[in-house]
């Protein structure tokens, strides 16, 4: 289909879908989730072949994906994302003029483009969180398939399209494109109202720049990169060295380190037993990475880090048909001297351990990290360094963790998956959890309208005060 | 002060102010409002001299400004803008993994820059809505004074600074700069976390582009331009021609047409008596415009419009020491043929009346208008054209009005002052009303924290479920 045909269809679908009652949209999206669940035996083998991820992981991810679709569809019906506010008329309003009857709700933005990610071939891809939240919020979606799993993308899209059609959704509500050139044409089309992306900093920034330099700039929700630093206090390292070492190794090697929330940097006290435990840790056997591009990208950053003055290898597994897990070691002084080089994301099974001399230095490192999806504090309840550390880190990350590990992002009501740039290009938004819906609507106030002309949620009998 | 000194002060203030309890911030901002009220006799004469606006208007505007400061400060204490969400841990969470304890609140962004507007020397200037919402949300503010009222800006800043100091606010919480070059240096400084602007499309777009092309892009809340179209149905024109003519003339000439919500375009049925009434309307006597730049800008757009094929003058007052009020006339067919030229904002006492042949044509015009702050429907309760018109206009404007006029933007809880570009650069946000606070905070989720380390609003005893 030409780009213009895609857009014409999406614009037409946008009108019908926006006018569809939220509970009817939910019914349609639940049908899509059911269809995806039913197609698991067809989809998972394709996903295995294209992504090299293990079956159990992919089965779990598909379950997460359909859970997410149902959760977002239900949250959209509930309508929190509309941010309904009602002011009744008030002749005594002390502003110098009477207050009119003003009622605020939100409307869908219109057609959007979603750029799929490679590392979650279900949950952040064709029918993933961005697609689900846009559709649930009332927006048609054009997905740019990730080149890492083209067949799975097609197969998923067929299931989605068949389920949408069977459930009575308008034509053009969902479409899939493969060509990067066509995706760019879509992104700059005047009828496209937002973009969403998960991937690398250079690719995401290039698309963000395109979206912002349009005649009419549009919101671009890009999740780019994050090293997700972990701050281990002296007390915690002394009290729980083995538990911390095990937890860290488990988290940074999970999924062969191919998670956006992988703890890529861990700060530990110099001389701590924790360092010995990490040096002697049994790293998991090499697991194949998603694709050759990920393999070469991981190797390139690993080489850059390894070549940096003051970096040494703390522990490394034995490479086989896949890259080995690697722990690098440096000092906080080195990091403070060259943060850009050392606090760089190495997508894959590598992490950097940074030793600090005292907790004042620990806080200084926190102060110079860039925007992060997550920041983790591993500490004891009465640790003196913690309050200042938390204050600094709340200014740096979208999610703070206490004695837990950042991998495994729960899809919930209170989740926040997004932080200051470069973690995300729109730091006030989240791409996981029900607040992801907020990205695809825009508030509109209705002034002085009679009840019968108001959107349902603004009427006195339904949702109004 | 050098830019670096300004920023160092603001960064230092940001820490203290963010850590200040919200009710203490409210106390400080109420003290600023009180001080501004008390300084009215000093400030209003300067405002009169620099802006040429009448005394009563300026007194009312100052009242609005201090009302707004108190309302926003109170709303910040109430904490709606924090968007608190609490998920207790749930081992049965049906996603495939237990749900951790996750609690979401929001933190201030840090130092921001506010570019003041000329047309509201109090309410959208030094201590106006952007400054008030940023301070109330917990962010230090550097204001770029508008060159239209430099003395008033200095005098206002002195009152603000003295009041802040007396109330114990940290040094550097507020600063004023005059130089455009220095303002640009501030806007691109890595420690500045957002910008806010009210003014013209070219100036706003230039600043938006600077903000988005930073190494770390930042949110830029620009309110640029809007013609605020009014759609008069056939039935309404037949039933209430005199009331509509009077209301429209009153609204488009209010404040000599120098409001961002001025109804700059009115659509009326061809051949309607309303057109005769507008032709014969008594337009108000010329009032001096804000400054020479506004006078020449208004004249330039008026000349462009007047020179356009198919435009004629419907009614015009007699110019004296100031431009006369002018009503131009054209047809919907002409507008549909060249919307960019004809639906352009003419800042000052000029508006365009557009005649349509039937209500299908009325809807077609609605479909081609750009993003607007407001769109107004003047109609009867049972008008057949209204539902479709409202659906289209909800996709175009931030505020819809029903048989009311868009000038006079009430500062309330449900207000929405912002719409799709070019009305605003951040269509999901508002610069008026308590939701303006949302622009200056960013969500953060806290996972697995003990009660004593959580922000107060997330604890089970206060704000949690």
């Amino acid at each position: 289909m030409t780009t213009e045909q895609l857009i014409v269809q999406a614009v037409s679908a946008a009108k019908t879908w926006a006018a569809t009652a939220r509970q009817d949209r939910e019914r349609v999206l639940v049908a899509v989730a059911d269809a995806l669940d039913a197609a698991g035996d067809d989809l998972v083998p394709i996903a295995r072949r294209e992504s090299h991820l293990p079956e159990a992981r992919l089965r779990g991810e598909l379950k997460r994906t359909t859970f997410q679709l149902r959760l977002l569809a239900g949250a959209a019906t509930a309508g929190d994302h509309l941010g309904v506010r009602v002011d009744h008329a008030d002749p005594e309003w002390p502003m110098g003029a009477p207050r009119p009857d003003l009622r605020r709700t939100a409307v869908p933005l219109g057609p959007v483009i979603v750029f799929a990610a490679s590392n979650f071939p279900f949950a952040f891809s064709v029918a993933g969180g961005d697609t689900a939240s846009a559709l649930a919020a009332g927006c048609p979606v054009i997905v740019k398939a990730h080149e890492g799993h083209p067949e799975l993308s097609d197969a998923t899209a067929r299931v989605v399209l068949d389920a949408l059609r069977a459930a009575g959704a308008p034509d053009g509500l969902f479409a899939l494109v493969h060509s990067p050139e066509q995706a760019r044409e879509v992104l700059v089309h005047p009828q496209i109202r937002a973009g969403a992306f998960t991937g690398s900093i250079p690719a995401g920034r290039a698309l963000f720049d395109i979206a912002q330099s349009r005649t009419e700039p549009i919101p671009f929700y890009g999740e780019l990169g994050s090293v997700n630093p972990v701050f281990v206090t002296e007390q915690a390292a002394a009290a729980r060295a083995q538990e911390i070492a095990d937890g860290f190794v488990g988290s940074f090697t999970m999924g062969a380190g191919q998670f956006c929330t992988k703890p890529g940097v861990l700060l530990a006290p110099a001389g701590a037993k924790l360092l010995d435990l990490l040096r002697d840790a049994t790293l998991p056997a090499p697991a194949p990475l998603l694709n050759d591009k990920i393999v070469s990208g991981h190797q390139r950053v690993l080489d850059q880090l390894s070549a940096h003055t003051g970096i040494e290898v703390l522990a490394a597994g034995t490479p086989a048909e896949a890259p080995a897990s690697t722990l690098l070691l440096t000092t906080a002084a080195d990091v403070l001297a060259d943060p850009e080089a050392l606090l760089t994301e190495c997508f894959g099974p590598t992490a950097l351990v940074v030793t600090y001399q005292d907790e004042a230095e620990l806080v200084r490192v926190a102060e110079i990290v860039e925007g992060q999806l997550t920041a983790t504090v591993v500490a004891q309840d009465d640790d003196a360094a913690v309050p200042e550390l938390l204050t600094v880190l709340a200014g740096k990350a979208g999610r703070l963790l206490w004695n837990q590990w950042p991998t495994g992002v729960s899809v919930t009501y209170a989740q926040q998956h997004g932080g200051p740039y470069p973690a995300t290009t729109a730091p006030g938004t989240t791409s996981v959890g029900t607040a992801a819906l907020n990205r695809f609507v825009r508030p509109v106030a209705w002034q002085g309208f009679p009840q019968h002309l108001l959107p349902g949620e603004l009427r006195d009998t339904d949702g109004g005060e």
Side-chain angles (χ1 to χ4, degrees), chain A residues 197-222:
Chain A
F197 169 91
T198 305
S200 74
I201 295 181
R205 181 60 192 253
L207 293 171
F208 171 84
D209 288 345
I210 290 172
Q212 299 319 302
S213 60
R214 292 165 40 122
T215 305
E216 176 183 352
I218 51 174
F220 188 80
Y221 307 113

Side-chain angles (χ1 to χ4, degrees), chain A residues 319-409:
Chain A
E321 66 289 0
S325 301
T326 306
L327 273 179
L328 302 174
L329 180 69
T330 189
T331 67
D334 282 328
V335 165
L336 290 167
D338 193 2
E340 208 175 327
L342 291 173
L343 298 181
T344 191
E345 186 175 9
C346 184
F347 197 80
T350 292
L352 178 65
V353 176
V354 179
T355 58
Y356 62 84
Q357 293 302 318
D358 56 36
E359 288 176 343
E361 197 176 46
L362 185 68
V363 172
R364 281 207 298 285
V365 173
E367 281 168 344
I368 57 97
V369 300
E370 288 189 297
Q372 302 291 335
L373 290 172
T374 71
T376 299
V377 176
V378 177
Q380 304 299 94
D381 265 15
D382 57 348
D383 250 329
V386 164
E388 188 180 2
L389 201 51
L390 287 176
T391 300
V392 174
L393 293 176
K396 300 287 187 174
R399 178 164 57 114
L400 302 176
L401 295 101
W402 176 257
N403 291 328
Q404 298 186 14
W405 298 95
T407 43
V409 184

Side-chain angles (χ1 to χ4, degrees), chain A residues 386-458:
Chain A
V386 164
E388 188 180 2
L389 201 51
L390 287 176
T391 300
V392 174
L393 293 176
K396 300 287 187 174
R399 178 164 57 114
L400 302 176
L401 295 101
W402 176 257
N403 291 328
Q404 298 186 14
W405 298 95
T407 43
V409 184
S410 198
V411 179
T412 80
Y413 178 66
Q415 185 58 277
Q416 171 61 27
H417 189 66
Y421 189 91
T424 41
T425 57
T429 66
T430 179
S431 65
V432 178
T434 59
L437 293 167
N438 302 0
R439 300 174 299 165
F440 299 109
V441 296
R442 175 179 62 76
V444 175
W446 297 64
Q447 181 173 331
F449 278 82
Q451 291 287 315
H452 73 283
L453 292 174
L454 286 170
E457 67 269 19
L458 294 184

Side-chain angles (χ1 to χ4, degrees), chain A residues 125-260:
Chain A
S125 189
V126 173
D130 287 336
T131 299
S133 47
L135 288 175
C139 301
V141 174
I142 297 171
V143 175
K144 157 70 173 72
H146 196 279
E147 65 273 19
H149 47 269
E151 281 183 52
L152 177 66
S153 300
D154 280 330
T156 307
R158 271 193 302 274
V159 174
V160 170
L161 282 167
D162 288 348
L164 288 174
R165 193 170 301 122
D171 283 349
L173 182 61
F174 172 88
L176 182 75
V177 301
H178 286 274
S179 138
E181 292 69 35
Q182 187 165 28
R184 280 192 171 71
E185 283 174 25
V186 172
L187 182 60
V188 299
H189 195 287
Q191 295 284 6
I192 291 293
R193 318 306 298 174
F197 169 91
T198 305
S200 74
I201 295 181
R205 181 60 192 253
L207 293 171
F208 171 84
D209 288 345
I210 290 172
Q212 299 319 302
S213 60
R214 292 165 40 122
T215 305
E216 176 183 352
I218 51 174
F220 188 80
Y221 307 113
E223 187 211 305
L224 312 189
S226 186
V227 298
N228 305 298
V230 178
F231 298 81
V232 181
T233 64
E234 292 169 355
Q235 275 196 50
R240 299 184 276 129
Q242 190 66 55
E243 172 198 327
I244 297 168
D246 292 346
F248 176 52
V249 169
S251 185
F252 98 80
T253 62
M254 183 181 285
Q258 300 170 113
F259 291 145
C260 46

Side-chain angles (χ1 to χ4, degrees), chain A residues 10-181:
Chain A
V11 168
S12 165
K15 284 185 193 158
T16 312
W17 192 239
T20 302
R22 298 199 304 284
Q23 55 270 41
D24 290 330
R25 283 189 222 145
E26 179 180 1
R27 184 184 49 75
V28 169
L29 295 179
V30 168
V32 172
D34 292 345
L36 287 166
D37 277 335
D41 289 345
D42 296 327
L43 298 175
V44 167
I46 312 175
R48 288 209 61 189
R49 192 172 70 244
E50 290 191 319
S51 74
H52 311 126
L53 293 170
E55 165 126 11
R57 147 72 195 273
L58 288 166
R59 293 265 174 201
E61 190 187 325
L62 180 56
K63 184 176 175 184
R64 172 201 176 98
T65 305
T66 58
F67 169 78
Q68 179 168 259
L69 255 166
R70 293 187 191 95
L71 185 77
L72 286 163
T77 299
D80 252 20
H81 68 299
L82 301 174
V84 166
R85 299 175 170 222
V86 174
D87 291 326
H88 293 290
D90 182 354
E92 307 294 326
W93 195 233
M95 201 190 89
R99 183 175 77 180
D101 184 280
L102 264 174
R103 298 164 190 240
R104 191 172 115 130
T105 182
V107 297
L109 292 182
V112 304
I113 181 165
V114 167
F115 293 82
S118 67
N119 61 336
F120 284 89
F122 291 116
F124 284 79
S125 189
V126 173
D130 287 336
T131 299
S133 47
L135 288 175
C139 301
V141 174
I142 297 171
V143 175
K144 157 70 173 72
H146 196 279
E147 65 273 19
H149 47 269
E151 281 183 52
L152 177 66
S153 300
D154 280 330
T156 307
R158 271 193 302 274
V159 174
V160 170
L161 282 167
D162 288 348
L164 288 174
R165 193 170 301 122
D171 283 349
L173 182 61
F174 172 88
L176 182 75
V177 301
H178 286 274
S179 138
E181 292 69 35

